[in-house]
Amino acid sequence: MPASQIPHIQPHQILVQRTNMGGSEAYIGSVTLQWLADRVKYASEMSLLSEQYQPRDNNIAIDSDSIEVIQQRPLDWSRQAALVQYLAGRTTHKFPPVLVTIDRSWVDNIHAPEWGRGGKATASAAMFVPIDGHENFGRLDVGESVRIYALDGQHRLMGVQGLMELLRVGELPRYNKYRELVGNKITIAELGTSAEYLASLPQETIGIEFISAVVKDETQLAARRRIRSIFVHVNLMAIALSKGQLAQLDENDGFAIVARNIAVNHPLLKDLPGRSPRVNWDSATVATKTTVLTTLQALQDMAAKYLQYQFPHWKPKAQKGLVPLRPDSAELAAGIAAFGHLFDRLSEFTSYGRLKGEDTPKLRRFSFEIAGGEGHLLFRPVGQVAFAQGVGMAVFKKQMAQTEVFRKLDRYDADGGFGNIDSFQSLWYGILYDPNKKRILVSGRDLAAKLIVYLLGGVDNDFDRAELRRQVAEARTVGDYAMSFDGKLVTPQEVGLPPVLT
């Protein structure tokens, strides 16, 4: 329809497109962030739940009545601060549309004249006036008499409302998940964005989809069941992305960008004709029989641990829970070069040199598994991350010469130091390998990284060495005794450390 033929939209109306899916009519339009914050309420505030509504945190007290009316996930108020910082601090922010219900006062009064014979509604709570012959486009009444509640997107609403409060007052409290005050308030001054930009935010627009709380010829019970069903289905269909999928899509996290670049471009990892893939792009784990060498998630973790001393601002602590700012091109190029150098040197290691003639499962499997294997640390994602973490600490924190670091670790690898971690003779026994459950021990990663630094001669303090020895002994202890490196049960005090590499 030409713009000249579109009827005038009244202040209490918005222009929408009508959709119909699964028997449910809906109306899609857009509203300003200010309008969303002012007009939309939380689903827990719906009058049909008024007896169970808890105004302190805008949640519902679950009881036998409320759980039968609607199923509502509790709001997590600890997320508000991060969402507000995202909206106010990132000029490229984007929220998906919000799904809301249109409700009117008569909906909850079964004696209202709008409920006709047999308890069926004589009208819809959503008043839609079509403006085209096919009744696909029209004007939707959203005047002050209309009650609007967020059915999906409540945390988005929380973020927008927090943003409006911050702009209005100049500061915003931080809450824990139960809406109890914690920490310092967020202030406009700490956002680092211009006054002009902040002033424009209330007039930004967001997609919104309206569904009617009650439609014509529907009973009150049927309406409640329909709304509840939509809520459950929306949340069931919103399957969370795996860590690997998130790493593939993340265009802001510098470590994810670096990891992807190395995964597709480095000769050790990239796909080559006639060679099995070496990176699992989806799962965060490596199956026993798979021929992949690592995972994208492990590569991202390796990049974060290896490059954290060079680029600490890529994930500042102040932005916990907030989407990080994308590094500039020069920094990304430097990060890719540094991380690529790590894999250049790893490619020269004796163990990785064997990839040309042997399958990764044999090098990764433990000795007791079917067909046996070498249980090599560098063929397990957690071992790869610990290695990158330790080398990064030695090179960038301890300022040790890279040439010497890789020379020593290459010799250590050639001598079998990273292999057979399921053997009591291995330094990594009890640290990255659990002898009781006979599986990888992820919780020992940080200790393994410290041991790499120790092997390189980077622990030069007597107290630090004593503490490291104690942690190793504790990791190899069961009951009152510890497993020595020659397979004897000894007291924990008798467990020592291997000599440093020369």
Side-chain angles (χ1 to χ4, degrees), residues 57-342:
D57 59 0
N58 292 111
N59 277 319
I60 300 169
I62 300 299
D63 59 22
S64 58
D65 294 325
S66 65
I67 202 165
E68 284 304 316
V69 176
I70 191 170
Q71 182 136 349
Q72 179 61 35
R73 291 185 301 183
L75 296 172
D76 180 356
W77 284 89
S78 67
R79 295 179 58 186
Q80 186 182 49
L83 290 167
V84 170
Q85 287 176 309
Y86 170 69
L87 290 172
R90 287 189 58 83
T91 57
T92 55
H93 57 254
K94 174 66 177 175
F95 275 175
V98 176
L99 177 66
V100 301
T101 61
I102 283 185
D103 197 4
R104 295 178 183 272
S105 58
W106 62 262
V107 168
D108 304 303
N109 179 11
I110 197 63
H111 302 293
E114 287 82 0
W115 294 109
R117 181 176 298 180
K120 295 184 177 181
T122 60
S124 172
M127 295 179 61
F128 172 74
V129 181
I131 60 174
D132 70 327
H134 298 288
E135 299 189 354
N136 291 326
F137 297 90
R139 296 169 291 182
L140 184 68
D141 179 16
V142 291
E144 292 297 330
S145 63
V146 175
R147 305 179 306 191
I148 304 171
Y149 302 95
L151 198 60
D152 179 56
Q154 296 200 95
H155 288 97
R156 277 164 267 162
L157 172 62
M158 176 193 294
V160 172
Q161 289 183 339
L163 174 65
M164 296 304 121
E165 180 180 347
L166 175 65
L167 296 178
R168 183 179 68 255
V169 181
E171 59 183 19
L172 180 72
R174 294 179 188 267
Y175 300 110
N176 64 13
K177 65 185 301 183
Y178 306 108
R179 210 180 187 183
E180 298 167 339
L181 293 173
V182 294
N184 298 324
K185 293 182 178 180
I186 301 173
T187 63
I188 288 180
E190 71 185 54
L191 296 175
T193 45
S194 68
E196 292 78 12
Y197 167 71
L198 293 175
S200 70
L201 292 177
Q203 296 309 308
E204 287 191 344
T205 54
I206 184 173
I208 189 168
E209 182 174 5
F210 300 87
I211 60 174
S212 183
V214 174
V215 297
K216 187 178 179 181
D217 294 327
E218 190 174 44
T219 65
Q220 189 182 67
L221 179 60
R224 288 176 172 178
R225 287 177 174 171
R226 174 175 56 84
I227 296 298
R228 175 174 176 168
S229 176
I230 291 172
F231 174 82
V232 172
H233 291 168
V234 164
N235 286 281
L236 284 177
M237 294 301 104
I239 300 174
L241 294 174
S242 70
K243 289 185 177 180
Q245 290 168 331
L246 288 172
Q248 290 180 51
L249 298 171
D250 199 327
E251 287 297 338
N252 298 297
D253 189 313
F255 303 121
I257 296 171
V258 167
R260 284 201 305 270
N261 185 283
I262 296 302
V264 299
N265 292 314
H266 198 277
L268 180 67
L269 302 172
K270 70 179 182 180
D271 286 346
L272 293 176
R275 187 172 81 179
S276 299
R278 289 187 171 174
V279 178
N280 184 330
W281 289 82
D282 188 21
S283 174
T285 59
V286 173
T288 302
K289 295 181 180 180
T290 185
T291 58
V292 300
L293 174 61
T294 189
T295 70
L296 183 60
Q297 178 60 41
L299 290 173
Q300 181 175 345
D301 291 341
M302 289 176 72
K305 294 299 182 182
Y306 185 69
L307 300 173
Q308 61 181 323
Y309 302 104
Q310 287 181 285
F311 308 105
H313 53 286
W314 282 10
K315 269 196 174 179
K317 293 180 181 179
Q319 288 188 324
K320 183 178 180 182
L322 180 64
V323 176
L325 292 173
R326 181 185 174 95
D328 62 37
S329 299
E331 281 198 341
L332 286 174
I336 290 169
F339 197 47
H341 180 67
L342 173 67

